[in-house]
Amino acid sequence: MINRIYISHSEQDKGLAQELEDALWALNLESFSSSLKKTESLSEAELISFGIRHSDCMIVILSMDGLLSPKVNQEIGLAVGTDQLMIPLLEYGEKLPVLIGHLPAIRFYRTNYENALGVVIKDIRQLTKLEWLKIKCPHCGEEMTQYITPQEEVEKVIIEGSDLKTMCSYCENAFYLDPRSFRPRSPETSSHEHSE
């Protein structure tokens, strides 16, 4: 079972890490990143060690910046040394570091990072039973929970090039979710006409 995920990334990839953290939050999965979480009494080294050792899985974001980051490479070494399950997100044009060169990587372009997030979520769903989504309504801003859409239906919607339709349990307005990351779509970015 995967309940807690460590996110390894460079400082330059903080935005990509935040998008990943948001997608994991929607799935009710706890995530940890030493760059996104700070404490007053613990050093960064202690945070990294604690985060990796108390996680069920590590997702490492490997852009060119991530590959050149000493911190990311040290986190990979610690995760390998503790036999941590690892999912590498590798930017197209880059190669995996030697320690994890044998692993299959989920490739991404910055312009279609949502596709990589969709593959990560699909992989996690194959390893862990996920039942609930947390969604913040784009209309009223309330946070609600609902059953997660079955993977078969998600894949069908992706093939169709459309979005998942849902409704807010508070304001009862319909809205759409990106089927890859379950992120609410604004009316401007949805692939549906909202005049239904």
Side-chain angles (χ1 to χ4, degrees):
M1 291 287 288
I2 295 175
N3 295 306
R4 191 167 198 249
I5 297 172
Y6 187 89
I7 302 171
S8 176
H9 62 91
S10 69
E11 282 297 315
Q12 294 85 349
D13 292 330
K14 204 180 259 191
L16 297 177
Q18 187 63 60
E19 284 186 60
L20 175 58
E21 187 173 80
D22 292 346
L24 297 174
W25 173 86
L27 298 169
N28 284 299
L29 294 171
E30 185 182 351
S31 60
F32 187 93
S33 163
S34 65
S35 297
L36 301 175
K37 303 243 194 290
K38 301 288 183 194
T39 65
E40 289 185 26
S41 61
L42 297 176
S43 69
E44 186 174 23
E46 290 172 307
L47 280 175
I48 291 168
S49 179
F50 173 84
I52 291 173
R53 290 179 193 280
H54 290 88
S55 293
D56 304 308
C57 172
M58 181 166 107
I59 298 176
V60 57
I61 300 172
L62 293 167
S63 64
M64 183 177 64
D65 294 316
L67 289 163
L68 296 175
S69 166
K71 186 181 95 158
V72 169
N73 282 286
Q74 289 168 357
E75 289 173 339
I76 289 171
L78 179 57
V80 168
T82 57
D83 203 26
Q84 185 72 256
L85 174 65
M86 197 175 318
I87 300 172
L89 286 174
L90 182 65
E91 191 168 19
Y92 277 100
E94 305 300 338
K95 288 171 55 176
L96 288 173
V98 173
L99 282 178
I100 59 170
H102 63 286
L103 296 177
I106 298 170
R107 297 213 170 243
F108 72 92
Y109 289 109
R110 289 178 185 270
T111 54
N112 70 354
Y113 188 60
E114 292 279 333
N115 290 341
L117 294 179
V119 175
V120 168
I121 290 168
K122 182 179 177 183
D123 285 353
I124 291 171
R125 289 185 81 172
Q126 290 175 345
L127 298 172
T128 300
K129 184 176 180 180
L130 300 174
E131 294 183 8
W132 298 97
L133 281 179
K134 280 191 289 193
I135 303 167
K136 190 171 183 178
C137 175
H139 299 289
C140 68
E142 289 290 337
E143 187 181 300
M144 61 179 170
T145 58
Q146 62 182 231
Y147 282 114
I148 191 168
T149 307
Q151 187 63 36
E152 302 77 36
E153 190 175 328
V154 168
E155 289 176 19
K156 181 180 171 207
V157 168
I158 290 172
I159 290 168
E160 291 171 353
S162 57
D163 294 331
L164 296 167
K165 186 175 182 179
T166 190
M167 180 181 288
C168 178
S169 54
Y170 293 95
C171 69
E172 298 185 351
N173 281 309
F175 62 96
Y176 293 87
L177 302 174
D178 185 313
R180 299 163 296 178
S181 64
F182 299 103
R183 185 181 315 202
R185 294 253 203 203
S186 65
E188 302 81 46
T189 60
S190 178
S191 59
H192 284 278
E193 294 296 321
H194 288 265
S195 58
E196 296 174 6

